[in-house]
Amino acid sequence: MTTTGWQPTACILCECNCGIVVQVEGRKLARIRGDKAHPGSQGYTCNKALRLDHYQNSRARLTSPMRRRPDGSFEEIDWDTAIVEIAEGFKRIRDTYGGDKIFYYGGGGQGNHLGGAYSGAFLKALGSRYRSNALAQEKTGEAWVDARLYGGHTRGEFEHAEVSVFVGKNPWMSQSFPRARAVLNEIAKDPARSMIVIDPVVTDTAKMADFHLRVRPGADAWCLAALAAILVQENLCDEAFLAEHVHGADVVRDTLHAVSVADYAAHCGVDEELLRAAARCIGTAASVAVFEDLGIQQGPNSTLCSYLNKLLWILTGNFAKKGSQHLHSSFAPLFSTVSGRTPVTGAPIIAGLIPANAVPEEILTDHPDRFRAMIVESGNPAHSLANSAACHEAFQALELMVVVDVAMTETARLAHYVLPAASQFEKPEATFFNFEFPRNGFQLRRPLLEPLPGTLPEPEIWARLVRALGVIDDADLRPLREAAQQGRQAYTEAILGTVATNPTVAKLLPYVLYETLGPTLPDELAGAAALWGLAQKTALTYPDAVRRAGYADGNALFDAILASPSGVTFTVHNYQDDFALVSHADHKIAVEIPEMLNELKTLTTAPPQLTTSEFPVVLSVGERRAYTANDIFRDPSWRKRDVDGALRVSVEDAHALGLTGGGRARITTAAGSAEATVEITETMLPGHAALPNGFGLDYTDGNGNVLTPGVAPNTLTSTEWRDPYAGTPWHKHVPARIEALAAVSSRS
């Protein structure tokens, strides 16, 4: 492994996974800059990537498997002991209660998805069926709407859009599409282009916008419905597009014709003429792209908001053309097609994921189908899910809990076993956040460093656990190992023949690839073996787009991925391909969703009052700021400002409540209370306050001091505040009370 010069890898702090190059000194990521050879980011990166050594060399790193003692403390054990005991424990759960009582949470953070490709083999070997991850806190409502409309995920082409619409989204801070800040600056400087932001907060992006629709917190549905209604009522729809490519438009138009724009403007707190001007901007533009995010996905009417904001570009025909909205290829699916209900509470399973809010309820019960065991991989649900207290109680009630992570997280402390993973820069890694159109990219990141002694990459962890289950005979693997030594074509023929005749091999394919193809891969890339199968599937699913990208078949694509450390463009689409990517048999958008139209009709009444005299303020938790990065940075020393994660309040509320900038306040909700430092700002509306994400994590510094800066947001949230369709939490709309705390004086 080379450890000198600039080495390509990627940032792991948001879904963009911008390409970076790194100089390593010893085990330190000494210098970091953007990778100009990366097909997506092209040398762009934000300030957060420059601080990745705080992750790589955190004092919180684990270096040995840990087993919890009866008194709750932990002891180090060797890997062989850990693997045997864990495998036996899960076999006991399976044989006693059934494999479906083993629940899986995780599968990778913002950049480590490759390990999750292998955990699936272990879960299938056990008969585990139920899973969840962070996407079930955000994206399942949108996924439900997408599945009904066109069957896939869409992304806007903001680089070329005449009008860009951001709904509950601050891309200046949260990024989420390539070269976000550069693109935003290009839009702001171009008089022929416009930006519309729907957000109660004057965010960095809102300050750049041509139209800031500053909605009342939680009233986004009325704002979006008014915009869609204006498009219909002022004849701004693309009738030719709707006639040729959309089903159900007449029913939707009839519903929107009945909307009183003036009343909805009053409900959402946005001037009617401003709404009309923004809608006309959308309706007359040559191209429109829309991005929704957590601001609406974690608030009231979130699934309805997902539906309504998509009407803005569907009604105006902004699909399958440059600068508009697109379906796209995928190298690996983030969601499955599994649906149904959870075994205990009957909560909806969308895209294969159990609602995060339902997880404690599926455990804390005497129901015979409750979850008895849990695996957590690269996740921290005890900290990141609503109502941390309920999560703690639930996880402590499990008969067996195993956590795979780089650090002793809040969740790991509740586990029976903790397995230390190699960091994302010590193993082959990849992300499956591949959302771009018409050119979509994928990067296999090579390890920059050897795994920290005592740690293992996740593919090896899962392989050892599968071996310990004894579910596959080595005799089945031997011919495949021999074929792999003979070359790619021989291996392809051998594996396809074996999969067709051996159901166990087919079920455990990622493990089989790791054991047979993995040893033949160069430069410590055995963990990339699962990508061979994904490359074959990609080539079969998008044959023309893969050939346009320069690859004759799946083997050629796989070999290019191995040989291209800065990443490859794996598909190149034509704009008309968008229609072929619509999964409905007739390849038309099915815009009539009865449940959503019924919800739309209920908006004729004023927004319900969710705050009370006891909890009069809307608290938004998990705000993205310049020095927040989810839970991946446990070391707080990377923050150069806002080191305590201040509670942001409006000038009006500060005056009314007697709050002072830099002073302390108590925040109380129905779920709990916490104290925070106050920041007074004109960016917040009266009655609206915000706490950042990424705080409330404890960390032991070099002097042995335990630091816990800021508020852990989910000490204040509740599993009961959730969307009725998707079960996503209302983290952005928590009724709260804020009280000033008296300053503590000191005497010399």
Side-chain angles (χ1 to χ4, degrees), residues 248-257 307 311 315 591-592 597:
D250 289 343
V251 177
V252 173
R253 271 188 298 234
D254 289 344
T255 305
L256 291 171
H257 266 300
Y307 175 66
L311 291 184
L315 291 173
V591 77
E592 180 185 357
L597 293 176

Side-chain angles (χ1 to χ4, degrees), residues 63 131 151 162 177 197 209 211 234 271 372 383 438 488 588 638 675 698 723 737:
T63 57
R131 63 188 301 147
E162 180 181 322
F177 57 86
V197 171
F211 301 89
E234 296 193 7
D271 180 76
R372 308 278 185 152
H383 182 268
R488 201 74 76 227
K588 291 187 176 183
W638 78 284
E675 295 180 11
D698 63 59
D723 181 76
R737 181 174 68 253

